[in-house]
């Protein structure tokens, strides 16, 4: 006669006696009072199963139920006296068998790319509000005769600002003090280079001063935007906003026309200096490595190309530039949404092909969400919808690729489009006015295909 040793939980150890007979047959005798299915206290076991059903249902093995019972503080005495089971594993096995298996979906994680709606809208407005200064000061320095100085200075500032902003964000990974030092050195130098470029084409001292003021403002505003001080920049622009708001009903005069933009310029510069001082007060990071300047070059080239494309559109439809400028806020918001939706698509698909299809849908959705509101805006301003929409698609897909660290491709494509359209416009070659939508259409098509090929894989979103 021997008693078998069971290694799995829920076995009949202590419940049976095994008798080995002379003809090698084994007779198992169950001890009285032991029912493996119900036990002596079925009601108590049922109540326990109902109480712990949420924790028992997802279990894939009785051991998990045993761990749950231990965490509930059930001792061996309680298990034997209240539930009538000889040990923990016997009770765990019974509960595991009674509670149906349930495998609930995990809780939906928070979106790591949730956009700040107010901030994106504010940034779009801040890109356009400085244009109000030209309404106030245009008649003071004959803007129609010396606009080339502002255009050249603006292009240089735009290109420099894009490259400096990228380098500042790279340094932000190291520390805020290092970011401040980068902006402190780069912003004044960029303003000086842009002022010099504009002064070459300035036909008067007033035009040169206007180019210098524009360059200083763009440098200071870039500092505030990189450091996330949008509300401070909005406060600095209050004089210009107030002055432009009363123009339809009141003539402010020469002093106010010159003084209000100057006050806004000084306020922006002072705000940038204060923000830099706060940033430089942070503790330095020891043994920090400076990124190579070449890494920021394609961002500067893209800024130059984008500025040229917008300029070419502005030569034909000036109000289209305002539409595109304001749309940069929603464009930034949609970049965040693209990343969030791509992460959700990554969780919802199981194969690379399925993710590619879902990623293409996300790209199409975000691109259409950006372009469709521009259609009525282009019609209301009298601009050609095709030209505005294709240029907007080129800019947004370029920004999307840059957001994933792909910089040289959008820079090269946009430079080619700007160079081709600029050459045709400068030398009055065919197809004439149709060259800009043709170049932007080709660029948008190339950039969209590149985005699908590079971002249609799970790796960039993991």
């Amino acid at each position: 006669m021997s008693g078998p040793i069971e290694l799995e939980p829920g076995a009949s150890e202590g419940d049976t006696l095994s008798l080995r007979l002379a003809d090698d047959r084994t007779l198992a005798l169950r001890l009285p009072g032991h029912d493996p299915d119900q036990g002596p206290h079925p009601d108590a076991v049922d109540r326990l199963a109902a109480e712990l059903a949420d924790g028992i249902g997802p279990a894939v093995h009785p051991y998990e139920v045993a761990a749950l019972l231990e965490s509930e503080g059930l001792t061996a005495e309680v298990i034997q006296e209240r539930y009538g089971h000889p040990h923990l594993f016997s009770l765990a096995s019974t509960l595991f068998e009674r509670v149906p298996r349930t495998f609930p979906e995990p809780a939906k994680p928070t979106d790591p790319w949730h956009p700040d709606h107010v901030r994106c809208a504010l940034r779009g407005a801040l890109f356009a509000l400085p244009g109000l200064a030209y309404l106030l000061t245009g008649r003071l320095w004959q803007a129609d005769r010396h606009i080339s100085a502002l255009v050249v200075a603006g292009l240089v500032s735009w290109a420099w600002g894009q490259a400096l902003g990228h380098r500042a964000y790279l340094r932000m990974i190291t520390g805020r003090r290092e970011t401040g030092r980068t902006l402190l050195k780069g912003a004044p130098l960029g303003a000086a280079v842009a002022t010099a470029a504009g002064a070459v084409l300035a036909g008067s001292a007033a035009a040169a001063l206007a180019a210098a003021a524009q360059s200083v403002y763009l440098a200071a505003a870039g500092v505030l935007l990189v450091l996330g001080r949008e509300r401070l920049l909005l406060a600095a622009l209050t004089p210009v906003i107030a002055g432009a708001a009363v123009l339809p009903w009141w003539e402010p005069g020469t002093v106010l026309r010159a003084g209000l933009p100057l006050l806004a310029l000084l306020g922006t510069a002072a705000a940038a200096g204060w923000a830099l001082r706060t940033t430089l007060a942070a503790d330095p990071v020891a043994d920090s490595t400076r990124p190579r300047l070449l890494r920021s070059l394609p961002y500067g080239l893209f800024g130059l190309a984008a500025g040229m494309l917008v300029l070419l559109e502005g030569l034909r439809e000036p109000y289209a530039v305002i539409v595109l400028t304001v749309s940069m806020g929603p464009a930034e918001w949609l970049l965040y949404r693209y990343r969030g939706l791509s992460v959700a698509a990554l969780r919802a698909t199981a194969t690379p092909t399925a993710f590619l299809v879902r990623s293409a849908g996300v790209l199409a959705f975000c691109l259409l969400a950006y372009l469709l509101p521009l259609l009525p805006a282009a019609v209301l301003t009298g601009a050609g919808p095709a030209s505005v929409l294709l240029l907007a698609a080129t800019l947004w897909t370029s920004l999307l690729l840059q957001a994933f660290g792909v910089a040289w491709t959008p820079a090269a494509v946009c430079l080619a489009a700007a160079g081709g359209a600029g050459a045709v416009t400068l030398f009055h070659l065919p197809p004439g006015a149709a060259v800009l939508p043709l170049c932007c259409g080709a660029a948008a098509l190339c950039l969209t295909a590149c985005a699908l090929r590079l971002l249609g894989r799970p790796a960039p979103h993991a």
Side-chain angles (χ1 to χ4, degrees):
M1 183 175 63
S2 62
I5 300 178
E6 298 289 349
L7 299 180
E8 294 296 327
S12 56
E13 180 184 356
D15 296 346
T16 62
L17 288 177
S18 296
L19 303 177
R20 187 176 299 277
L21 305 179
D23 56 359
D24 290 333
R25 289 181 300 163
T26 301
L27 177 64
L29 301 179
R30 186 168 304 280
L31 297 180
H34 290 274
D35 186 344
D37 297 325
Q38 297 295 330
H41 305 282
D43 293 338
V45 175
D46 289 340
R47 286 194 299 270
L48 182 63
E51 294 174 1
L52 303 180
D54 292 339
I56 297 173
V60 297
H61 195 277
Y63 283 163
E64 296 182 51
V65 182
L68 175 64
L69 296 176
E70 284 186 328
S71 68
E72 294 291 328
L74 296 183
T75 62
E77 292 78 8
V78 172
I79 292 173
Q80 293 171 3
E81 295 175 2
R82 184 182 301 175
Y83 302 107
H85 281 263
H87 47 68
L88 174 69
F89 292 107
S90 173
L91 177 59
S93 181
T94 300
L95 294 174
F96 181 80
E97 293 173 358
R98 290 191 183 187
V99 178
R101 303 275 66 75
T102 58
F103 303 103
E105 290 292 330
K108 186 177 181 180
T110 57
D111 185 3
W113 297 102
H114 182 71
D116 187 338
H117 312 303
V118 175
R119 183 170 181 246
C120 290
L122 181 58
R123 287 173 72 89
L126 290 174
F127 293 146
L129 285 176
L132 298 176
Y134 301 111
L135 295 178
L136 291 170
T137 63
R139 65 173 60 180
L140 302 180
W141 54 280
Q142 296 179 335
D144 54 340
R145 296 177 53 187
H146 305 292
I147 191 65
S148 57
L150 286 185
V151 168
V152 172
L155 288 175
V156 174
S157 294
W158 202 344
W160 189 282
Q162 290 288 317
L164 179 61
H166 174 260
R167 185 167 179 82
Y169 281 119
L170 288 179
R171 296 294 282 162
M172 196 173 291
I173 300 175
T174 304
R176 291 191 63 83
R177 179 182 175 85
E178 287 68 26
T179 304
R181 290 176 59 86
T182 299
L183 293 172
L184 182 61
K185 295 177 181 179
L189 182 58
V193 172
T195 299
V200 173
L201 299 178
S204 65
L209 288 176
Q214 174 186 270
S215 303
V216 171
Y217 169 80
L218 290 176
V223 170
L224 292 173
L225 291 175
V226 169
L227 296 179
R229 303 285 186 170
E230 291 86 4
R231 289 176 173 81
L232 195 58
L233 178 57
L234 179 63
L237 289 175
T238 302
V240 170
I241 299 172
V246 301
L247 281 180
W249 303 279
W250 178 63
E251 170 55 44
T254 302
V255 175
L256 287 179
R257 281 182 175 271
L260 292 177
L262 180 60
L263 183 61
L265 174 63
L266 295 176
T268 303
W274 178 82
L276 283 176
R277 180 182 178 183
T278 304
T279 304
L280 293 172
D283 296 330
V285 177
D287 300 329
S288 60
T289 303
R290 295 182 180 181
R292 294 183 303 164
L293 293 175
L294 188 63
R295 294 184 60 182
S296 300
L297 177 60
Y299 294 88
L301 294 177
F302 166 74
L304 178 62
M308 292 176 61
L309 291 172
V310 173
L311 170 63
L312 292 173
E313 178 64 23
L315 292 177
R316 298 172 55 251
E317 302 291 347
Y319 291 108
V321 177
I322 300 176
V323 172
L324 289 172
T325 303
V326 175
S327 73
M328 288 296 102
E332 184 175 339
W333 185 87
L334 283 168
L335 291 177
Y336 281 100
R337 291 303 303 138
Y338 175 86
R339 302 205 72 160
L341 292 173
S342 296
V343 173
L346 190 62
R347 297 192 185 102
T349 54
T351 63
T353 302
F355 178 77
L356 176 60
V357 174
R358 185 73 66 94
S359 181
V362 171
L363 178 60
F365 169 77
C366 292
L367 192 55
L368 288 176
Y370 175 53
L371 296 179
L372 288 180
L374 294 180
L375 180 59
V379 173
L380 289 175
T381 57
S387 181
V388 173
L389 295 182
L390 291 174
L391 176 54
T394 301
L395 296 178
W396 191 83
T397 49
S398 297
L399 294 174
L400 176 63
L401 289 171
Q402 287 184 345
F404 284 87
V406 182
W408 281 108
T409 299
V413 172
C414 290
L415 279 175
V424 170
T425 303
L426 181 62
F427 298 106
H428 304 286
L429 301 174
V435 66
L436 186 59
L438 287 177
C439 290
C440 289
L445 186 62
C446 292
L447 292 170
T448 302
C450 182
L452 272 178
R453 185 177 67 86
L454 296 177
L455 306 182
R457 299 177 292 110
H461 309 278

